[in-house]
Amino acid sequence: MQHRLRNKFNDFANHDATAGIMMLIFTVIALAYQNSPYAYDYRAWLNTLTGFVFGNFELIKPLILWINDGIITIFFFSIGLELKHEFMEGQLANKKNILLPAAAALGGMVTPALVFTLFNYGDPFIMRGWAIPTATDAAFSVAILLLLGSRVPSSLKIFLLSLAIFDDVGAIVVIALFYTSQLSTLALAGAGIAIVFLALLNFFHINRKSIYCVVGIFLWFTILKSGVHATLAGIITAFFIPLKKNNGQPLVHEIYDKLKGWIALFILPLFVFANAGIDLQGMDLSMITSNVSLGILLGLFLGKQWGVFIFALICIKCKLAPMPQGANYRQLYGVCILTGIGFTMSMFIDGLAYSGSPIFNYADSLAILLGSLASGVIGYLFLRFFAGNAAKDGPSAKPNPAPAQESTLAENPADAKIEEKTAASVTA
């Protein structure tokens, strides 16, 4: 009995829909706390100073910064592991599978940024938030697709996951280039030493995870002090971990597999709980219809779906890439609507852009929630009731000239197991 319960818990923790479900639950909890008599305790807890002291050295920060600069780095580390696998052995190792999701991801960044700029051009401070509506929360969007089950072809699930990978790459580049404060030469030199050490570990194919952990923590600290956002340490460390052990067993997947449950059940819910607590009591219509709110909300809900679909359509019509196998244009557009679920990544960039300050009275955070909610609900309803069957549309009836390459990692992190998990998921 105990063994069976443990297996069911592990299955739940590692299911692709779990992170989205947990984040939704903790969003509701955070909103309830912030708008209850316990709001002061909620904010006081987030601003509790904590850290460590070693001799004359001390690193003391509010708890919310430890979450947003520290714990969330583990999530970015897992993204780095997934990126490395996908580009070396997974779906994106085949160049034929790269163009469509890459172009769609580019459109999903350019168009929302233009929508935001249209509402806020001329105000340099507000324009710091141009990247807020450009992000896609893969956990939520994939969770919704899984709820639709066999109504959505597995090729579109792979398309969304591949698009999310390129979206993550774009977010990493944006954070590195546009959300870097005044740089510290000394700290950057320390980060450079750590990166060289990681490169040597990779070159000599060192498999000891503890060594990478120690060097990764040192890299995180130096990047934190350098002025570059500390989450980049997670991505960099992941890139230098060997894909396989010396005996040929997968190493990147082993680490990712062990982290996935922690990320779904603890790290992402904690991040959402710390950042989704929006004070709704002082809200009025003028806040929601302010330029910054409209730029974010419409950027997510309209800019993302238009940009992703238009760029994907151009690729397909120009025969640069095939339509995902078994899919029609309506189903493709429905998936494009789901890319407007920015949520955690949008909140993360919002914190970087406006330094986590409630300068807009949380109207910016509310706009993220509303834009993401609209994209999720309408995307689900569109795919559920209006997308139709693949066989009814011309392009879907044709065999895909470039079938997707199956991932060599059947267990996780993305595409290879998506069909198996879909069969076991809840269908609406």
Side-chain angles (χ1 to χ4, degrees):
M1 180 66 176
Q2 189 176 13
H3 180 70
R4 192 182 306 130
L5 289 174
R6 188 184 301 113
N7 287 340
K8 287 186 177 180
F9 176 80
N10 289 336
D11 289 342
F12 173 75
N14 289 285
H15 198 283
D16 281 336
T18 299
I21 294 170
M22 293 298 294
M23 286 191 291
L24 181 61
I25 292 171
F26 276 83
T27 297
V28 174
I29 294 173
L31 287 170
Y33 257 110
Q34 180 59 45
N35 294 278
S36 73
Y38 301 101
Y40 176 82
D41 295 331
Y42 170 72
R43 285 291 158 189
W45 177 75
L46 290 176
N47 290 306
T48 301
L49 293 176
T50 184
F52 60 89
V53 177
F54 186 76
N56 294 327
F57 173 80
E58 63 178 37
L59 185 61
I60 307 293
K61 286 177 172 289
L63 185 58
I64 190 169
L65 292 184
W66 279 109
I67 295 171
N68 292 347
D69 291 346
I71 294 176
I72 200 65
T73 302
I74 301 173
F75 169 64
F76 278 85
F77 175 70
S78 72
I79 289 177
L81 294 174
E82 186 174 8
L83 290 175
K84 178 160 186 171
H85 158 66
E86 289 302 323
F87 280 107
M88 294 187 70
E89 284 192 341
Q91 177 73 15
L92 302 178
N94 185 343
K95 293 181 181 179
K96 294 180 181 179
N97 298 329
I98 289 179
L99 185 58
L100 185 63
L106 178 63
M109 295 191 73
V110 172
T111 310
L114 290 176
V115 172
F116 185 90
T117 302
L118 181 66
F119 282 94
N120 298 288
Y121 180 77
D123 190 318
F125 178 75
I126 291 180
M127 278 304 299
R128 284 181 54 83
W130 66 269
I132 295 171
T134 65
T136 295
D137 191 313
F140 261 121
S141 53
V142 169
I144 290 175
L145 278 188
L146 290 175
L147 291 175
L148 289 160
S150 59
R151 292 184 179 89
V152 178
S154 60
S155 62
L156 282 181
K157 299 181 180 77
I158 295 172
F159 166 75
L160 179 60
L161 286 165
S162 301
L163 185 152
I165 287 170
F166 285 106
D167 194 89
D168 289 338
V169 172
I172 292 163
V173 172
V174 166
I175 291 169
L177 295 180
F178 299 100
Y179 296 105
T180 295
S181 57
Q182 189 174 0
L183 298 177
S184 166
T185 305
L186 181 62
L188 283 175
I193 293 172
I195 292 172
V196 169
F197 198 75
L198 285 171
L200 290 173
L201 290 174
N202 180 275
F203 179 79
F204 289 107
H205 217 270
I206 304 300
N207 299 151
R208 293 286 296 275
K209 290 175 282 189
S210 57
I211 299 178
Y212 286 97
C213 181
V214 171
V215 180
I217 291 173
F218 178 75
L219 177 62
W220 172 83
F221 174 75
T222 53
I223 290 183
L224 177 70
K225 292 297 184 180
S226 72
V228 181
H229 200 270
T231 51
L232 295 178
I235 300 286
I236 295 170
T237 303
F239 283 169
F240 283 106
I241 293 178
L243 199 62
K244 296 182 179 181
K245 299 178 182 179
N246 293 327
N247 61 5
Q249 294 297 314
L251 179 59
V252 163
H253 167 63
E254 178 185 312
I255 299 172
Y256 181 93
D257 194 41
K258 289 181 178 179
L259 286 176
K260 189 171 184 181
W262 284 98
I263 289 169
L265 298 178
F266 176 69
I267 293 173
L268 287 179
L270 179 62
F271 176 81
V272 168
F273 179 73
N275 290 275
I278 301 169
D279 187 358
L280 301 176
Q281 299 178 50
M283 289 284 180
D284 58 44
L285 187 61
S286 64
M287 291 181 177
I288 309 303
T289 56
S290 66
N291 285 349
V292 66
S293 294
L294 289 176
I296 294 172
L297 195 158
L298 297 180
L300 282 171
F301 180 62
L302 296 180
K304 286 292 287 188
Q305 60 177 276
W306 289 349
V308 172
F309 184 73
I310 290 171
F311 276 57
L313 188 63
I314 290 172
C315 280
I316 294 169
K317 290 295 186 181
C318 294
K319 298 185 178 180
L320 299 174
M323 167 73 82
Q325 189 173 14
N328 59 40
Y329 287 115
R330 286 167 293 167
Q331 290 169 329
L332 178 63
Y333 188 74
V335 171
C336 293
I337 297 175
L338 294 180
T339 63
I341 305 175
F343 204 57
T344 52
M345 289 301 294
S346 292
M347 286 186 173
F348 182 75
I349 296 175
D350 181 74
L352 297 179
Y354 303 127
S355 302
S357 170
I359 187 168
F360 301 113
N361 292 319
Y362 301 107
D364 50 338
S365 298
L366 183 60
I368 292 172
L369 287 180
L370 292 177
S372 299
L373 179 64
S375 298
V377 171
I378 294 177
Y380 174 85
L381 293 176
F382 185 90
L383 287 167
R384 175 69 175 81
F385 296 107
F386 302 108
N389 296 320
K392 294 180 181 178
D393 234 342
S396 62
K398 300 176 183 178
N400 191 333
Q405 172 184 336
E406 286 194 20
S407 170
T408 55
L409 291 185
E411 302 94 322
N412 264 320
D415 39 307
K417 199 177 178 184
I418 195 76
E419 294 184 42
E420 178 185 339
K421 288 183 177 177
T422 302
S425 64
V426 181
T427 55

